[in-house]
């Protein structure tokens, strides 16, 4: 399975295992049927918020889309060796390019409640900076570069060494500030 379609294949597998139609999954996740079909076919780079809603509709954690062989003991990821990467788009109308690259730090940990990631954030067009929301909480620590976070009506600009913890039910958007890449450690909690 190609890396680009890993998420789409997992969505299809989970949907079919639950005997759900594309239409039923679209309705349950408040998404369009076209979005579900494009994700499953690998024709679209997913945005994080719809993916969280799809995971919830399927009754799984976000990390399930990255899981291969879950373990019950501790999971160790050596520096620079996270093999599980998922690329997410910004929120443009027809995203075909990755704005975010998520490197999972716990993809093989069974029954986890948090999703820790190292995320490379690439500059994206301003029109893609549209806040969205989902249940849960997020913690972000900036490793390098600068990011800008739209959070409700506020805008926060953070640099290396800064952190932020927030309720993700408030509409938010995380993007690179300016034209340079940024790297963050993010821990996402989204209840099932």
């Amino acid at each position: 399975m190609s890396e680009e379609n890993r998420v789409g294949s997992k969505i299809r597998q989970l949907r079919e295992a639950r005997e759900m139609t594309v239409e039923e999954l679209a309705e349950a996740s408040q998404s369009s049927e076209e979005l579900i079909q494009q994700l499953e076919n690998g024709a679209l780079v997913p945005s994080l918020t719809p993916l969280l809603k799809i995971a919830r509709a399927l009754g799984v954690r976000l990390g399930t889309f990255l899981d291969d062989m879950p373990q019950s003991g501790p999971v160790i990821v050596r520096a620079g060796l996270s093999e599980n990467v998922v690329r997410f788009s910004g929120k443009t109308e027809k995203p075909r390019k990755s704005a975010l690259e998520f490197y999972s730090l716990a993809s093989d940990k069974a029954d986890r409640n948090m999703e820790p990631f190292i995320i490379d954030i690439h500059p994206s067009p301003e029109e893609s900076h549209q806040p969205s929301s989902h249940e849960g909480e997020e913690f972000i620590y900036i490793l390098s570069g600068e990011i800008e976070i739209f959070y409700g009506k506020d805008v926060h600009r953070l640099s290396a060494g800064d952190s932020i913890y927030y309720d993700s039910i408030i509409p938010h958007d995380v993007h690179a500030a300016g034209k340079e890449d940024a790297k963050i450690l993010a821990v996402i909690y989204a209840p099932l």
Side-chain angles (χ1 to χ4, degrees):
M1 158 181 13
S2 74
E3 178 182 308
E4 291 79 27
N5 199 24
R6 169 187 238 169
V7 172
S9 295
K10 197 72 116 167
I11 291 171
R12 175 180 280 124
Q13 177 187 23
L14 291 165
R15 178 180 60 76
E16 290 174 350
R18 285 158 179 72
E19 298 182 353
M20 292 178 82
T21 65
V22 168
E23 297 79 18
E24 290 168 335
L25 179 55
E27 183 178 331
S29 65
Q30 301 171 338
S31 303
S32 70
E33 292 175 32
E34 179 184 15
L35 174 71
I36 303 294
Q37 290 169 337
Q38 288 180 329
L39 288 172
E40 287 187 358
N41 295 330
L44 188 65
V45 177
S47 176
L48 182 59
T49 298
L51 204 55
L52 281 164
K53 291 179 180 180
I54 291 168
R56 186 172 176 85
L58 290 169
V60 299
R61 299 170 286 100
L62 172 65
T64 301
F65 298 134
L66 304 172
D67 293 350
D68 286 328
M69 307 233 345
Q71 320 174 31
S72 59
V75 172
I76 297 172
V77 177
R78 300 287 179 195
L81 298 179
S82 176
E83 297 175 8
N84 294 308
V85 60
V86 174
R87 289 172 173 81
F88 292 103
S89 68
K91 298 177 189 81
T92 55
E93 186 66 29
K94 297 230 181 234
R96 303 268 185 242
K97 185 178 171 193
S98 170
L100 305 168
E101 294 173 354
F102 280 57
Y103 296 87
S104 178
L105 299 178
S107 64
D108 293 335
K109 175 72 174 118
D111 301 322
R112 63 188 180 273
N113 295 304
M114 301 179 296
E115 299 292 344
F117 299 99
I118 296 292
I119 305 173
D120 289 333
I121 304 176
H122 306 296
S124 57
E126 282 189 36
E127 64 268 13
S128 70
H129 301 166
Q130 299 298 316
S132 58
S133 64
H134 54 87
E135 289 187 48
E137 300 173 341
E138 296 181 28
F139 170 79
I140 295 174
Y141 179 84
I142 295 73
L143 298 168
S144 65
E146 290 186 322
I147 65 168
E148 188 173 66
I149 300 178
F150 295 166
Y151 185 75
K153 295 181 180 180
D154 299 326
V155 177
H156 304 282
R157 191 174 184 121
L158 304 173
S159 301
D162 295 341
S163 68
I164 185 171
Y165 188 117
Y166 55 87
D167 293 317
S168 43
I169 194 71
I170 305 296
H172 61 282
D173 181 72
V174 178
H175 51 271
K179 299 188 185 303
E180 301 296 320
D181 287 353
K183 184 182 289 282
I184 64 174
L185 166 67
V187 181
I188 300 169
Y189 167 72
L192 288 179

